[in-house]
Amino acid sequence: MATYRFTAFEATGESLFDEDWEFESDDAAKEQGGQKIEELGLSEKTHRLVNNKGKLILFHV
């Protein structure tokens, strides 16, 4: 398992989420992370998911 950092923001810059999530791989993070973001109702908010090396996995403005 690898650690990924998820952050979500309001348009004002206010932080909504700043959490570590764990996934098996970058591909799993993209698929499962996307589902989790949907479940949290944050798919239309500015957000990003990066791996522990800083690689951008998901991003939405």
Side-chain angles (χ1 to χ4, degrees):
M1 294 289 264
T3 302
Y4 294 78
R5 188 70 169 190
F6 173 70
T7 53
F9 304 91
E10 285 287 359
T12 61
E14 176 189 354
S15 179
L16 298 172
F17 274 83
D18 189 13
E19 300 179 342
D20 287 335
W21 293 351
E22 290 191 351
F23 299 104
E24 290 289 329
S25 66
D26 287 355
D27 290 335
K30 188 172 186 177
E31 182 179 329
Q32 296 168 10
Q35 291 171 353
K36 192 168 183 175
I37 292 165
E38 284 283 332
E39 291 169 6
L40 291 170
L42 298 170
S43 59
E44 296 303 315
K45 300 288 184 184
T46 299
H47 62 265
R48 66 181 173 218
L49 181 65
V50 297
N51 68 13
N52 58 359
K53 294 179 182 174
K55 179 181 177 187
L56 194 59
I57 306 300
L58 291 173
F59 181 73
H60 177 78
V61 177

